[in-house]
Amino acid sequence: MKTLEEKIGYSFRDRSLLENALTHSSYANEHRAAGVPSNERLEFLGDSILGLVVADHLYRTRPDLPEGDLTRIRAALVCEGSLVQVAQALDLGSYLKLGKGEDHGGGRARPSIQADAVEAMLAAVYLDGGIGQVRKLIHRLVLDQEQEKTAAGRDYKTALQELVQRENGQVLSYRLTGESGPDHAKVFAMEVLLNDGVIGSGQGRSKKEAEQAAAKAAVLTLEGEAP
């Protein structure tokens, strides 16, 4: 636990909060007789804290953006994929307490479990040190990636639709070209076609994410920004 505290830059006064944040429900269920709590309640609290801190930051620092853009950027910053990146940077999976079945089934690398643990950890810091401490942590782990996520927050499918509609008779469609990876970590590959010709391709953890990636590639090509 001390190593993880060093990674996040915060030392707990009550280390049991951090231990609780890292305890998955599968472990808690196996140790129910001992009264071991899962991190689900902390996850609930952490989700709200993260959303508040990110929304407050964007409101104060981006007066140029309308509500729709702020919403998309916030969604990109607090989404599962963003939190999984945080978890991976901290190697959070290695600290998790999982039930035997979940552990053997690859639970330490499961995106949903990693993302939930990040939210629970944020709640633990909040309860232990207050809003100032968790705000610092969120800025360091999440908001430092804002510039990158601002681009990620753009709705590329809508942007692509607007680009091609400048000419009449243009037809856009998306085509799934492949799936890979285990069930708990699927990767989907998608192509976007304009009048049956491929103009972009991309991958994602869901079909919707893959469509956005393909649309982004197409938008950058049409706007002349492709490498």
Side-chain angles (χ1 to χ4, degrees), residues 163-180:
L163 277 175
V164 302
Q165 283 181 343
R166 294 174 183 175
E167 296 184 22
N168 293 329
Q170 305 297 303
V171 178
L172 275 177
S173 60
Y174 292 83
R175 179 171 64 197
L176 181 67
T177 59
E179 301 178 17
S180 61

Side-chain angles (χ1 to χ4, degrees), residues 157-224:
K157 288 186 67 176
T158 298
L160 179 59
Q161 188 72 37
E162 292 172 351
L163 277 175
V164 302
Q165 283 181 343
R166 294 174 183 175
E167 296 184 22
N168 293 329
Q170 305 297 303
V171 178
L172 275 177
S173 60
Y174 292 83
R175 179 171 64 197
L176 181 67
T177 59
E179 301 178 17
S180 61
D183 289 340
H184 67 272
K186 282 281 190 185
V187 176
F188 297 89
M190 196 77 65
E191 289 179 339
V192 58
L193 299 88
L194 177 60
N195 300 330
D196 296 326
V198 177
I199 58 171
S201 60
Q203 295 183 337
R205 290 192 178 89
S206 67
K207 292 179 182 178
K208 183 177 293 187
E209 187 176 300
E211 287 179 350
Q212 281 286 347
K216 177 180 179 179
V219 167
L220 294 181
T221 296
L222 295 176
E223 291 181 342

